[in-house]
């Protein structure tokens, strides 16, 4: 083969790329005359964020610059395979295209209705020395971050043994992270350490660079690939570490494939990370058609906390929680207070015995005899309340897949349109059964689980059912494509406060918005009012917040479904505080995180969808804090302000119930001063005065 190499520098490249602006895709390389581009770069619309691609020693590298300064060091790109040649060396950039994109799209439900997708797209073709295209690296540069992904041409069936994408960051960057590849999936307390102390971490991983911006690494549009962990190899080098299959393969591909986007969010402030839309923007538009009226943001109560605090049981017997009688009481309670849903756990066969260990016996269409499913769904409907279904699988995924259609069909017939699923099993212990009945153990975030969760969403959509998965795979923004992906867990939720092993410390919910919540909504289940459930307050294995902070969490921790998680009798005892839970919306026109720092505090405001009312949540860690809130986010009305705050001397340790409400009138020219108690918070409703 005869071909000539031309080396093109950055200056000439910009000319080339300008000419290529109208071409959405680059042509296959001409193997007789290969143009080699030494360096390719593109900038975000404002010019503040730049990404550069290069191939020192024929190894593909990327680097990000923020306001003219390098924020990541040149880091490798590449993919390795079991039986075909690796895509990590001997490569050159042979063609580059750039386009800009600016479009605003609407979310059917969400934390904000309108989302602007404004980015520069760079597509660089990398080729082997023989001219064969290795992959296209597609990069989207937004003003608050970037996504990059590999688009790899067909080459039959292959096994990916490793993805070699690296993120190179300063070793002393202050980092918030949880361990990946451990037994407890995503349910860890966050660690705050220098980057050099990260071992293997989940994403989103968030860091503050020394003297520089906050960044967060995550991924978007994980649909048929393994979840990415970040493994610190050499100090400062986080390498993609894909959750493996039980046979050691990382990803099984057939034909051409596209990886999820590897994302880097960047902001001068921590609040800026929380206000970013890049994860959603990097997902595909809605595929569930134009009638999405069956997908309903809602508030719910449930036969749930009573199991966690050991007052009742999931399994049948004397303590059985999900009885017809108790469920009617919950339905009556929801109807009385205008809440939409009642979740019922422990309604179906399979819970008796050690359900953690044996998911194969779950039957998703067989209610216990003391739970009259049909009667209760009608009883609820007549009161304008909906039952919320529950499918705990204990990680026995094949058992669930075998019953999924029948289970969703049953719920649809009864008018049940939302289902909470659960995959309680240690990390790496999901059970997959093959056609011969042999079982294998898989990760909650390996390709097998990723495929399962997508299949569950697609199957549920056929029956007009929305899902809320616990012990899920992490969120990567698929709710844009499948809006029936309502919410999920995937972090340490309220339940840990019941179990006390240990409970969530006061800082935990100030870290979540800057880490886990960057991925998407979380079913944290706020609203515990009896903070010690029978224990003495001096015992710290209880809820480590004030009462007011529980209310603020409804605004801070976004979810389109929010649970009023406590027992009805505890709400009956505190109508003053319960009023906020009754009033707070779950669907928003806009959301703005005003201020905050992971592990310290956060202040978020949200405008109710379809009205001019605004809601505010402010929470702090174990330290008392005074925060000033200029009200310039409000519209030009006078507002009646309903404040739910820590009372005098409130303190999560010794005086968590000190609580007061206050009312005043304000406008957008005012500033509010909030006093947050240790472990405390404030919740506010701003209602426009006609
Ligand atoms: C763990 C879930 O997080 C919790 O909400 C649920 O009650 C139990 N599994 C049982 O499914
Ligand atoms: Ca859980």
């Amino acid at each position: 083969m005869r071909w000539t190499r031309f080396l093109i520098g950055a200056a000439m490249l910009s000319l080339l790329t300008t000419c290529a602006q109208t071409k959405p895709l680059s042509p296959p390389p001409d193997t007789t005359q290969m143009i080699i581009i030494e360096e390719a770069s593109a900038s975000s619309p404002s010019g503040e964020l730049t990404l550069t691609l290069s191939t020192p020693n024929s190894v593909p590298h990327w680097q990000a610059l923020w306001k003219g300064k390098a924020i990541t060091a040149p880091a490798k790109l590449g993919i390795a395979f079991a039986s075909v040649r690796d895509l990590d060396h001997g490569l050159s950039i042979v063609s580059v295209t750039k386009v800009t994109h600016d479009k605003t799209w609407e979310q059917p439900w969400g934390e904000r209705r309108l989302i602007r997708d404004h980015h520069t797209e760079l597509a660089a073709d990398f080729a082997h020395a023989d001219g064969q295209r290795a992959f296209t690296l597609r990069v989207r540069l937004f003003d608050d971050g970037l996504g990059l992904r590999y688009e790899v041409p067909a080459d039959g069936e292959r096994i990916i043994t490793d993805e070699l994408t690296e993120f190179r960051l300063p070793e002393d960057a202050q980092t918030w992270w949880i361990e990946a590849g451990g037994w407890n999936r995503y349910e860890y307390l966050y660690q705050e350490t220098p980057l050099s102390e990260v071992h293997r971490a989940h994403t989103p991983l968030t860091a503050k660079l020394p003297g520089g911006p906050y960044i967060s690494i995550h991924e978007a549009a994980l649909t048929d690939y393994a979840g990415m962990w970040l493994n610190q190899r050499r100090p400062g080098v986080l390498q993609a570490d894909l959750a493996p299959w039980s046979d050691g393969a990382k990803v099984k591909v057939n034909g051409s494939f596209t990886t999820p986007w590897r994302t880097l969010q960047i902001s001068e402030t921590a609040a800026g990370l929380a206000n970013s839309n890049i994860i959603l923007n990097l997902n595909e538009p809605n595929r569930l058609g134009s009638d999405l009226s069956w997908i309903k943001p809602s508030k719910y109560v449930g036969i749930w906390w009573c199991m966690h605090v050991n007052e009742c049981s999931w399994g049948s017997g004397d303590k059985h929680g999900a009885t017809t009688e108790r469920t009617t009481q919950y339905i009556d309670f929801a109807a009385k207070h205008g809440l939409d849903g009642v979740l019922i756990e422990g309604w179906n066969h399979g819970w008796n015995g050690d359900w953690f260990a044996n998911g194969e016996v779950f039957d998703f269409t067989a209610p216990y005899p003391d739970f009259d499913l049909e009667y209760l769904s009608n009883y609820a409907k007549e009161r304008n309340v909906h039952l919320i279904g529950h499918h705990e699988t204990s990680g026995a995924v094949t058992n669930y897949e075998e019953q999924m259609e029948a289970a969703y069909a049953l719920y649809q017939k009864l008018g049940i349109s939302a289902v909470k699923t659960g995959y309680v099993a240690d990390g790496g212990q999901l059970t997959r059964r093959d056609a011969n009945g042999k079982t294998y153990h898989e990760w909650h975030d390996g390709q097998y689980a990723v495929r399962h969760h997508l299949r569950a969403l697609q199957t549920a959509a056929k029956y007009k059912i929305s899902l809320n998965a616990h012990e899920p795979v992490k969120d990567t923004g698929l709710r844009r494509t499948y809006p029936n992906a309502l919410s999920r867990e995937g972090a340490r939720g309220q339940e840990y406060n019941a179990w006390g092993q240990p409970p969530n410390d006061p800082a935990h919910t100030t870290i979540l918005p800057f880490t886990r919540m960057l991925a998407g909504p979380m079913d944290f289940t706020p609203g515990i009012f009896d903070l010690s459930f029978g224990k003495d307050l001096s015992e710290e294995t209880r809820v480590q917040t004030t009462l007011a902070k529980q209310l603020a969490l409804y605004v801070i921790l976004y979810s389109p479904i929010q649970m009023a998680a406590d027992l009805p009798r505890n709400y009956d005892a505190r109508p003053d505080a319960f009023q906020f839970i009754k009033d707070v919306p779950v669907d928003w026109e806009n959301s703005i995180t005003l201020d905050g720092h992971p592990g310290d505090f956060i202040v978020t405001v949200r405008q109710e969808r379809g009205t001019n009312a605004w809601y505010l949540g402010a929470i702090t860690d174990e330290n008392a804090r005074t925060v000033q809130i200029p009200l310039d986010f409000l519209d030009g009305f006078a507002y009646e302000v309903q404040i739910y705050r820590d009372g005098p001397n409130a303190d999560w340790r010794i005086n968590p119930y000190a609580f007061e409400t206050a009312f005043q009138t304000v406008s957008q020219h005012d500033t509010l001063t909030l006093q947050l108690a240790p472990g405390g918070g404030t919740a506010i409703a701003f209602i426009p005065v006609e």
Side-chain angles (χ1 to χ4, degrees), residues 205-217:
L205 167 143
T206 298
K208 170 144 187 12
L209 306 188
Y214 292 79
I215 61 109
S216 186
I217 302 171

Side-chain angles (χ1 to χ4, degrees), residues 184-185 187 424 470-472 489-493 495-496 499:
N184 209 10
R185 307 166 303 266
E187 298 176 17
V424 170
H470 279 230
E471 302 76 41
E489 192 190 40
R492 234 171 178 264
E495 61 193 16
Y496 279 81
W499 313 337

Side-chain angles (χ1 to χ4, degrees), residues 304 308 314 345 351 390 392 420 424 470-471 489 495:
W304 181 75
H308 289 273
W314 282 276
E345 297 200 0
W351 292 93
H390 187 236
E392 175 56 62
K420 172 176 169 180
V424 170
H470 279 230
E471 302 76 41
E489 192 190 40
E495 61 193 16

